[in-house]
Amino acid sequence: MKLVCEGIDISEAVLKVVKACSSKTTVPVMECIKLSAVNDSLTLSATDGEIAIIKTIKAEIYEEGSICVPGRFFSDFIKKLEGVQITVSSDGRTMDIEYADSMSSMQVLSADDFPKIELDINANSFKIKTKDLKNFISSTSFCCATDDSRPILKGCQFVIEGDEVCVTSLDGFRLATVTGKVVSSTGNMEIICPARTLNEIDKMIPDTEEETEVFVQQGMILVSSGNTILTSRLYGGDFIKKENIIAKSYITTVKVAKDVFKASVDRAAILVKNDRNSLIVLDITGDLIVVSSNSEMGRVNEPVKAEVSGKDLKIAMNSKFLTEAVHALDEEYITLSFNNSIQPFICQNDVNKDKLYLILPVRTSNNA
């Protein structure tokens, strides 16, 4: 194999595909990026068995061929060569990289051992505005679980019925659900897509007014954008039914200016960010919602004007859960709804109820 390409082009491609390289494996080739030189293109591929990313760039190909290079090492090395033209050549055992007046070499593996990436995924699909898909991902993926105790909770559930789509995620302590529209679909469907996959899709697709088509087939998903293709396995099993978790009515509701409340919550969260439970307390009484936190570093106690309807209430929760929910809302005023100090409460925009965040409070000596 021998080719010439621009350093910036191959560096940007490597930075995209290296995200799919495995970091925990006993199979060395799964830690590699496959380079395939064919016609006038260089295709870079990586997969860890769950997610695969393929990126194609222009190159002058003098000798076609394929090799596998150590992903992380190659990524770190090649991003130092963004400003020069690069010549890559390999005899199948080592790879030489020529740049400016220098040359380096590294060991490579045979491309024959690289796993096949399935690209024939097109049985079902739905088309969605790209900016809406990015909004769904950023509004829900942060609520997915990160441990392996219940793998299905590491993904977001997409339910499509007609032109309606509902995306839901939860980690056992909080829940996010967002509703919206799809442009078209081949039929009703439900998939559970890993949050990691969705976050890579979010980075891959541009923030434009265009549309993105998502292909689904036999537990796999495929999304393409420009010269980049991403495929991923989907999670199987029964997802939690959000209708069984979200209460139908609430006793106390609070309408508050988002920016003022967010700033107060952010300040209270700073003092407890290193505490084990990171607790902040909301004391709702009269026309105020008092935000407080207490740690060895100090104490915050800030009254925020609000429109309160219902009973007075004092409730504690993990500061991270509340700050992330409030930051995800986007109207001037938001609404918080409660039943008591030990049952889950919800945060929503005041007018458009397309986003809902449910948070499980923390029992303290004051509300036990």
Side-chain angles (χ1 to χ4, degrees):
M1 181 181 80
K2 185 173 182 179
L3 63 95
V4 176
C5 64
E6 296 298 324
I8 186 66
D9 293 340
I10 192 170
S11 177
E12 289 178 352
V14 169
L15 288 176
K16 282 184 181 292
V17 303
V18 74
K19 304 289 184 61
C21 288
S22 178
S23 57
K24 298 177 182 178
T25 180
T26 57
V27 183
V29 76
M30 299 292 280
E31 299 177 352
C32 290
I33 295 173
K34 179 182 176 182
L35 306 181
S36 298
V38 180
N39 296 328
D40 60 351
S41 299
L42 174 65
T43 299
L44 299 87
S45 311
T47 181
D48 61 2
E50 178 179 88
I51 186 174
I53 302 176
I54 301 171
K55 173 76 174 177
T56 301
I57 63 172
K58 288 286 187 181
E60 295 180 35
I61 308 300
Y62 295 97
E63 184 180 337
E64 294 186 347
S66 298
I67 56 171
C68 290
V69 298
R72 307 290 175 186
F73 178 79
F74 186 62
S75 174
D76 290 342
F77 187 86
I78 213 73
K79 69 183 177 184
K80 304 296 184 182
L81 303 176
E82 292 185 348
V84 298
Q85 193 175 70
I86 296 172
T87 299
V88 177
S89 57
S90 175
D91 59 5
R93 295 184 299 275
T94 61
M95 177 179 67
D96 294 331
I97 306 173
E98 298 177 50
Y99 47 97
D101 296 324
S102 303
M103 186 182 80
S104 299
S105 63
M106 64 181 66
Q107 296 293 316
V108 299
L109 298 178
S110 171
D112 294 339
D113 299 325
F114 193 80
K116 183 179 184 296
I117 298 174
E118 181 60 59
L119 296 178
D120 187 19
I121 302 170
N122 55 17
N124 299 290
S125 69
F126 63 91
K127 193 175 289 186
I128 187 171
K129 289 183 178 178
T130 301
K131 65 176 183 179
D132 289 345
L133 179 57
K134 293 177 74 72
N135 178 51
F136 289 147
I137 294 170
S138 63
S139 299
T140 58
S141 62
F142 65 87
C143 285
C144 291
T146 55
D147 61 78
D148 294 322
S149 58
R150 300 177 70 185
I152 199 170
L153 298 187
K154 294 172 69 178
C156 293
Q157 178 200 49
F158 282 68
V159 176
I160 296 170
E161 295 181 347
D163 65 347
E164 302 279 342
V165 59
C166 179
V167 185
T168 303
S169 64
L170 71 158
D171 62 6
F173 301 97
R174 55 179 170 167
L175 174 147
T177 184
V178 182
T179 57
K181 301 281 188 180
V182 294
V183 176
S184 63
S185 70
T186 57
N188 294 347
M189 65 185 80
E190 176 186 339
I191 63 171
I192 304 168
C193 188
R196 175 190 170 207
T197 297
L198 292 172
N199 290 330
E200 290 303 326
I201 292 173
D202 186 30
K203 296 172 188 174
M204 183 179 81
I205 57 179
D207 191 4
T208 67
E209 296 295 324
E210 297 179 356
E211 298 170 353
T212 296
E213 190 163 14
V214 179
F215 295 93
V216 180
Q217 181 173 316
Q218 295 180 337
M220 295 289 295
I221 189 174
L222 182 148
V223 177
S224 65
S225 177
N227 294 319
T228 305
I229 299 173
L230 180 147
T231 71
S232 173
R233 295 188 183 278
L234 300 172
Y235 292 137
D238 295 326
F239 203 73
I240 304 297
K241 293 188 182 298
K242 66 179 184 297
E243 296 80 7
N244 298 336
I245 301 174
I246 303 171
K248 301 295 189 294
S249 61
Y250 292 90
I251 294 172
T252 301
T253 59
V254 179
K255 177 181 175 181
V256 63
K258 179 202 165 180
D259 288 345
V260 177
F261 182 63
K262 178 169 72 72
S264 185
V265 169
D266 286 347
R267 286 189 289 269
I270 290 172
L271 282 188
V272 294
K273 66 179 179 180
N274 294 322
D275 287 5
R276 187 167 66 90
N277 293 320
S278 300
L279 290 184
I280 63 174
V281 176
L282 304 182
D283 192 353
I284 302 159
T285 179
D287 60 352
L288 293 175
I289 178 168
V290 179
V291 180
S292 64
S293 65
N294 192 6
S295 73
E296 293 180 355
M297 298 298 296
R299 177 175 174 79
V300 167
N301 191 282
E302 299 188 7
V304 178
K305 281 283 187 181
E307 295 179 22
V308 179
S309 175
K311 296 181 179 180
D312 292 350
L313 182 74
K314 191 172 186 179
I315 188 169
M317 74 287 302
N318 183 293
S319 61
K320 179 174 181 285
F321 298 165
L322 183 61
T323 54
E324 290 184 338
V326 172
H327 279 245
L329 298 173
D330 47 26
E331 287 186 1
E332 182 180 0
Y333 288 90
I334 61 174
T335 301
L336 292 80
S337 304
F338 310 85
N339 275 322
N340 55 48
S341 61
I342 60 174
Q343 288 185 323
F345 66 96
I346 62 171
C347 308
Q348 290 180 288
N349 287 319
D350 183 53
V351 177
N352 189 348
K353 305 297 185 182
D354 60 337
K355 297 180 182 179
L356 181 149
Y357 296 95
L358 178 145
I359 300 172
L360 188 68
V362 177
R363 288 177 179 263
T364 67
S365 57
N366 290 327
N367 63 16

